[in-house]
Amino acid sequence: MTAIVFLATLILSVPVAIVLVIAAVWYIWESGNTVLYDSIALKMFGGLENYGLLAIPLFMLTGELMNEGGMTKRLINAARVFVGGFRGGLAYINLLANMFMAAIIGSATAQIAVMSRAMVPAMEEEGYDKGFAAATTAAGGLLAPVIPPSMMFVIYGVLAQIPIGEMFMAGIIPGLLLASSFALVITAIGWVHQFPKGSWLTRREAASALRDALPALLIPFSIIGGILFGIATPTESAAIASLIAFLVGWLFYGELKPSHLGEMFKRTAANASMIIFMIAAASVFGWVIIYEEVPQKLAGLITAVTSDPFLFLLIVNAALLVVGMVIDGIAAIILITPILLPIAMGSYDISPYQFGVVICLNLALGLLTPPVGIGLYIASAMSNTTPGAILKALWPFLLAVALILVLLSYFPVLSLLLI
């Protein structure tokens, strides 16, 4: 009966956090173990007693400060220096700028919104199809859940009880592979459609663009470098990145006004609280998973089908592609990790880092696939393009993601080499 209540509330579009609490409360009532009612609040607060969770609002604040401080356009100009002269140069600029942004924002939806406003009009003005321009921008947003710092990696690391810094390191090679596959897609489409030829900046223009972007590039270097060299934890790196973003936007670029900080703090708090509440609700829902022995039962079912770790990951990928179509990626991570991770580690000896990279990238695909597809609809709204036109141009990028998922599932070293 609890499963029916859970599915019914999901179908009725009840927020996922509320669904988790309702299902847990129903289960307590149905099981007769009503003494657990007294512990619900304690359990929810207990689920938040993790230092790593502080990184979520701090990375969100970094993105807000960066957007307000004028760093986006400077990063785009910096990308123009490296790839602007190729045929289809603006498409490559879009991709490279998305890589820079992924190493700062950590949120795919925020990145898609920012980059759609910046890149789609520019690409359309140079003669690119608007659907392709929006699709390239939306696909670039998929780099955010993989290239550190990733919001999904933070949440997964907390749920899996593994070091978030090492989880970030696991995402670097997969992120570069994903970006490379997108570049190949752009190249192939450019050959077919004869994209406009770009123009290289003069030496003086290139030096100026790089000089202007250098302060903004301090942010990803401070995050990744601080973690890689053991100088700071991910949470401390997020705090440092927020401070750098504020000082650069205010003192160097002069576009960030201290009087706007209050509004940015409010937006950050509102957005972060939704994620934090989902994690708290998942702690309560964990009772259902524990008492019903869901991982053990599911493990028995799957191991009866295959004992091969690669086939197990393919089955998981296929299932999560469907899950990602109907449930938001962060919500799905919170739901799926406690169930599938014990099976992956206990029955198939799969590294939690490899498993985390695979499921985070897989569930990020749900941002661009109907019926939920929030990233798809954000790109559509920001670029004034129909979702259908974007999807028509998006499918080669989605195929590239699927290929990378297969590679990451078959070769653990791609996720584990830097750890």
Side-chain angles (χ1 to χ4, degrees):
M1 188 63 186
T2 302
I4 295 174
V5 171
F6 177 82
L7 292 173
T9 48
L10 269 182
I11 292 170
L12 292 172
S13 299
V14 176
V16 172
I18 305 298
V19 170
L20 295 175
V21 174
I22 290 174
V25 169
W26 183 278
Y27 180 79
I28 293 169
W29 175 79
E30 190 177 35
S31 66
N33 196 8
T34 53
V35 70
L36 291 177
Y37 285 136
D38 298 331
S39 304
I40 286 180
L42 185 63
K43 186 71 174 175
M44 293 182 75
F45 279 105
L48 302 180
E49 289 180 342
N50 189 299
Y51 176 67
L53 288 176
L54 280 174
I56 293 175
L58 287 171
F59 281 130
M60 286 184 168
L61 179 60
T62 301
E64 290 281 352
L65 292 166
M66 190 199 71
N67 295 338
E68 192 79 16
M71 298 176 206
T72 305
K73 59 186 177 185
R74 290 171 174 86
L75 290 174
I76 292 172
N77 283 337
R80 190 180 294 273
V81 174
F82 300 104
V83 293
F86 296 127
R87 179 172 295 279
L90 207 50
Y92 292 111
I93 290 169
N94 191 342
L95 177 62
L96 188 57
N98 264 297
M99 284 185 66
F100 291 154
M101 296 286 283
I104 297 173
I105 293 183
S107 167
T109 51
Q111 184 171 319
I112 290 170
V114 170
M115 294 301 293
S116 293
R117 288 196 299 266
M119 290 304 305
V120 175
M123 290 182 69
E124 187 182 12
E125 190 175 326
E126 285 202 13
Y128 292 85
D129 175 72
K130 187 188 279 191
F132 172 78
T136 304
T137 309
L142 294 181
L143 296 172
V146 184
I147 293 179
S150 161
M151 205 77 63
M152 292 179 81
F153 281 1
V154 172
I155 295 168
Y156 173 81
V158 170
L159 295 171
Q161 298 183 347
I162 57 176
I164 295 170
E166 292 184 1
M167 192 65 223
F168 282 176
M169 292 302 102
I172 292 178
I173 292 176
L176 294 175
L177 284 173
L178 190 62
S180 301
S181 71
F182 287 167
L184 291 174
V185 168
I186 292 171
T187 301
I189 296 175
W191 284 341
V192 174
H193 294 282
Q194 288 297 295
F195 285 158
K197 188 160 187 334
S199 58
W200 294 107
L201 298 179
T202 65
R203 185 171 297 179
R204 178 176 295 180
E205 290 171 336
S208 175
L210 291 175
R211 185 182 62 247
D212 287 346
L214 193 59
L217 289 172
L218 285 174
I219 298 173
F221 285 130
S222 69
I223 295 171
I224 298 173
I227 296 169
L228 186 61
F229 295 108
I231 300 170
T233 67
T235 302
E236 291 164 348
S237 295
I240 293 167
S242 296
L243 178 61
I244 293 173
F246 170 67
L247 293 176
V248 168
W250 176 35
L251 299 177
F252 194 87
Y253 294 144
E255 296 187 24
L256 179 60
K257 307 301 179 187
S259 59
H260 296 169
L261 283 176
E263 189 60 36
M264 284 187 280
F265 288 155
K266 282 169 58 180
R267 286 200 299 268
T268 300
N271 292 331
S273 63
M274 292 187 289
I275 297 173
I276 296 296
F277 183 60
M278 273 198 289
I279 295 172
S283 298
V284 179
F285 185 72
W287 280 333
V288 180
I289 296 172
I290 292 169
Y291 292 137
E292 286 298 302
E293 299 181 337
V294 173
Q296 293 89 328
K297 293 176 181 176
L298 193 57
L301 182 65
I302 297 176
T303 52
V305 175
T306 180
S307 59
D308 186 344
F310 176 59
L311 288 179
F312 165 75
L313 284 175
L314 289 184
I315 293 170
V316 169
N317 275 317
L320 293 191
L321 283 173
V322 177
V323 170
M325 288 181 183
V326 294
I327 301 178
D328 174 71
I330 289 176
I333 283 286
I334 293 169
L335 283 171
I336 293 300
T337 300
I339 298 173
L340 291 182
L341 181 60
I343 303 173
M345 293 177 64
S347 300
Y348 294 94
D349 199 27
I350 294 171
S351 164
Y353 301 102
Q354 180 195 10
F355 189 72
V357 169
V358 168
I359 65 170
C360 286
L361 177 56
N362 187 306
L363 290 171
L365 273 177
L367 289 169
L368 303 181
T369 50
V372 176
I374 186 170
L376 177 66
Y377 298 121
I378 288 173
S380 172
M382 293 297 174
S383 62
N384 195 27
T385 313
T386 65
I390 297 175
L391 273 175
K392 183 179 178 182
L394 189 62
W395 68 265
F397 294 100
L398 299 182
L399 283 179
V401 177
L403 176 60
I404 296 300
L405 277 172
V406 173
L407 290 176
L408 293 175
S409 299
Y410 192 77
F411 298 106
V413 68
L414 295 177
S415 305
L416 306 179
L417 185 63
L418 299 181
I419 299 176

Coordinates of all heavy atoms in Angstrom, one line a residue, residues 31 120 183 348:
S31 N 2.4 0.1 9.4 CA 3.2 -0.9 10.1 C 2.8 -1.0 11.6 O 3.2 -1.9 12.2 CB 4.7 -0.6 10.0 OG 5.0 0.6 10.6
V120 N 22.5 31.9 -27.7 CA 21.6 31.7 -28.7 C 21.4 32.9 -29.7 O 21.5 32.7 -30.9 CB 20.3 31.1 -28.2 CG1 19.2 31.0 -29.3 CG2 20.5 29.8 -27.5
A183 N 32.2 18.1 -29.1 CA 33.0 18.8 -30.1 C 33.0 18.0 -31.4 O 32.8 18.6 -32.5 CB 34.4 19.0 -29.6
Y348 N 28.3 -6.5 -6.8 CA 29.1 -6.5 -8.0 C 30.5 -5.8 -7.8 O 31.2 -5.7 -8.8 CB 28.3 -5.7 -9.1 CG 27.0 -6.4 -9.5 CD1 25.8 -6.1 -8.9 CD2 27.1 -7.4 -10.5 CE1 24.7 -6.8 -9.3 CE2 25.9 -8.0 -10.9 CZ 24.7 -7.7 -10.3 OH 23.6 -8.4 -10.6

